[in-house]
């Protein structure tokens, strides 16, 4: 902890009362002199005089009040110990599919069966918390793509809004191209060297005005790296009620997701369960590491109100003491 005065030059005003007294010496107005002469005996009482000790006390008290006012005006601050502040390494946008198929319960999390979106929330929330120093944004997409959170250092808000999302809030279809286009638009507004999009979906592009592959080409021109994550369990065989074997199909368009990633210099990942999804986010931490560059800062706490309050209290005390010790005009005896 270190005490610092932001406006240290204010201390040059300390001799100001002495300078004023010297300049005004001998210039007492006639009316004031006459007033003192006419009422001196009534104010002090007959034969009552101020003692040198009392005068010295009032002088020291007034000097202390002036000193406290000057200290307050100098903006005293208490500086804490230096702390490292991470420097932003990138703008990182997450685009999460909230279409109708994300309600399928083919993921296991903590020993229980959960929906694809629930697993995504749990794993992505941990990933967001680790991105100290990156600005993060969140896009939710279904039939349309919506910017849920603009780029911000407030990772807690990003994680909270992702946690509050629900299946179908953006429609039941999937607009992958629109999600990429929206990410390009938002990231283009910021002049940073590293721009990254993590796009997570369990389906194919079935809606929207933008073709995903054309959006990927534009992203490559803009310097945006896209990592695509396809989620959902593999198709499983099941016994048909009519006899024979059937198969549960998957709508995931892995070829398109791979092309999007390759076009922008990213990678495609496949997550069939919660553990694979967690491993993917851990790998993303390695591929896009958080910046280790730091800029130091020292937290400060303003202290000006302490000397100012003390000065006001001492001024009130000075006034009360003068009223008490000075007395009031005495009545003339009959």
């Amino acid at each position: 902890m270190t005490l610092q005065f932001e406006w240290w030059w204010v201390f040059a005003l300390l001799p100001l009362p002495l300078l004023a007294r010297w300049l005004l010496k001998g210039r007492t107005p006639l009316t004031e002199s006459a007033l003192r002469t006419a009422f001196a005996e009534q104010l002090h009482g007959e034969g009552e005089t101020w003692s040198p000790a009392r005068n010295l006390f009032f002088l020291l008290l007034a000097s202390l009040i002036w000193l406290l006012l000057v200290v307050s005006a100098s903006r005293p601050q208490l500086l804490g110990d230096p702390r490292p502040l991470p420097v932003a390494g990138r703008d990182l946008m997450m685009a999460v599919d909230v279409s109708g198929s994300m309600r399928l319960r083919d993921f296991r999390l903590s020993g229980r069966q959960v929906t694809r979106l629930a697993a995504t929330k749990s794993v992505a929330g941990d990933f967001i918390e680790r991105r100290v120093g990156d600005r993060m944004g969140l896009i939710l997409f279904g039939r349309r793509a919506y910017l849920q959170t603009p780029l911000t250092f407030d990772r807690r808000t990003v994680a909270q809004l992702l946690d509050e999302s629900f299946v179908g809030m953006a429609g039941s279809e999937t607009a992958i191209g629109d999600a990429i286009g929206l990410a390009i638009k938002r990231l283009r507004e910021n002049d940073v060297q590293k721009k990254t999009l993590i796009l997570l979906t369990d389906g194919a592009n079935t809606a929207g005005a933008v073709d995903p592959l054309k959006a990927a080409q534009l992203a490559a021109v803009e310097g945006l790296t896209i990592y695509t994550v396809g989620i959902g369990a593999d198709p499983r065989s099941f016994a048909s009620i009519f006899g024979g074997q059937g198969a549960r199909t998957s709508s995931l368009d892995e070829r398109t997701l791979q092309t999007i990633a390759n076009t922008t210099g990213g990678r495609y990942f496949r997550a069939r369960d919660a553990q694979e999804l967690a491993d993917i986010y851990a790998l993303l931490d390695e591929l896009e590491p958080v910046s280790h560059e730091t800029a130091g800062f020292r937290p400060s706490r303003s202290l000006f109100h302490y000397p100012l309050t003390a000065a006001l209290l001492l001024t009130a005390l000075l006034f009360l003491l003068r009223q008490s010790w000075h007395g009031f005009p005495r009545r003339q005896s009959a």
Side-chain angles (χ1 to χ4, degrees):
M1 294 290 184
T2 305
L3 181 63
Q4 173 180 291
F5 298 95
E6 187 73 14
W7 294 347
W8 55 268
W9 51 267
V10 174
F11 285 101
L13 300 177
L14 279 175
L16 186 60
L18 296 176
L19 180 61
R21 181 179 178 84
W22 178 76
L23 292 175
L24 298 176
K25 187 177 181 180
R27 298 184 180 182
T28 305
L30 294 177
T31 54
E32 185 178 347
S33 299
L35 180 63
R36 288 186 177 181
T37 302
F39 297 98
E41 293 183 358
Q42 292 181 349
L43 291 175
H44 294 287
E46 296 179 359
E48 182 181 358
T49 58
W50 290 89
S51 66
R54 183 176 297 182
N55 287 335
L56 179 61
F57 174 79
F58 278 115
L59 177 62
L60 292 177
L61 188 57
S63 300
L64 178 58
I65 293 172
W66 175 248
L67 175 62
L68 290 172
L69 290 175
V70 172
V71 170
S72 178
S74 67
R75 297 182 61 185
Q77 298 177 349
L78 191 63
L79 298 180
D81 297 330
R83 297 179 183 177
L85 179 67
V87 177
R90 65 183 53 74
D91 282 350
L92 194 153
M93 189 75 73
M94 293 185 64
V96 178
D97 187 352
V98 290
S99 62
S101 57
M102 290 292 285
R103 65 167 52 93
L104 293 179
R105 294 178 174 271
D106 56 358
F107 275 68
R108 294 192 65 83
L109 191 65
S110 301
R112 60 190 181 91
Q113 207 77 11
V114 298
T115 65
R116 295 173 178 179
L117 183 58
T120 299
K121 290 179 181 180
S122 176
V123 178
D126 294 336
F127 174 78
I128 292 171
E129 287 298 322
R130 295 195 297 268
R131 307 307 299 185
V132 180
D134 286 347
R135 291 199 308 173
M136 297 202 66
L138 176 64
I139 292 174
L140 300 178
F141 66 96
R143 181 179 179 83
R144 294 182 177 85
Y146 297 95
L147 179 67
Q148 193 73 356
T149 309
L151 290 167
T152 177
F153 288 109
D154 187 0
R155 306 185 314 281
R156 180 174 299 179
T157 297
V158 178
Q160 179 180 348
L161 290 178
L162 173 60
D163 188 62
E164 293 174 356
S165 64
F166 56 90
V167 174
M169 64 181 297
S172 60
E173 297 176 276
T174 308
I176 296 175
D178 285 4
I180 297 174
L182 181 56
I184 294 173
K185 179 181 178 181
R186 302 304 301 188
L187 291 168
R188 180 187 291 168
E189 298 172 356
N190 302 282
D191 186 19
V192 295
Q193 293 183 348
K194 193 67 174 178
K195 303 175 184 178
T196 304
L197 170 65
I198 300 175
L199 187 144
L200 187 146
T201 182
D202 69 340
N205 189 76
T206 57
V210 181
D211 179 74
L213 298 183
K214 291 183 178 179
Q217 294 172 2
L218 180 58
V221 173
E222 295 290 335
L224 171 61
T225 302
I226 302 178
Y227 294 95
T228 55
V229 181
I231 68 171
D234 287 328
R236 296 178 182 177
S237 299
F238 63 93
S240 172
I241 60 175
F242 301 105
Q245 294 292 320
R248 183 178 290 113
T249 60
S250 173
S251 61
L252 183 63
D253 185 359
E254 293 191 78
R255 178 175 298 180
T256 297
L257 295 179
Q258 288 174 343
T259 303
I260 292 173
N262 294 337
T263 301
T264 61
R267 285 181 58 179
Y268 167 70
F269 302 95
R270 182 76 169 89
R272 298 171 180 82
D273 53 44
Q275 184 57 52
E276 284 189 351
L277 189 57
D279 293 341
I280 289 169
Y281 278 113
L283 182 57
L284 286 171
D285 275 332
E286 298 178 7
L287 295 175
E288 300 288 342
V290 175
S291 174
H292 293 289
E293 298 180 17
T294 57
F297 82 104
R298 301 186 69 177
S300 62
R301 183 162 62 95
S302 180
L303 303 175
F304 78 94
H305 51 281
Y306 291 111
L308 180 60
T309 301
L312 294 177
L313 292 176
L314 290 178
T315 301
L317 176 63
L318 178 62
F319 176 78
L320 293 176
L321 289 178
R322 284 183 64 87
Q323 292 296 322
S324 175
W325 290 358
H326 200 284
F328 298 93
R330 299 181 178 179
R331 297 181 178 178
Q332 296 293 333
S333 58

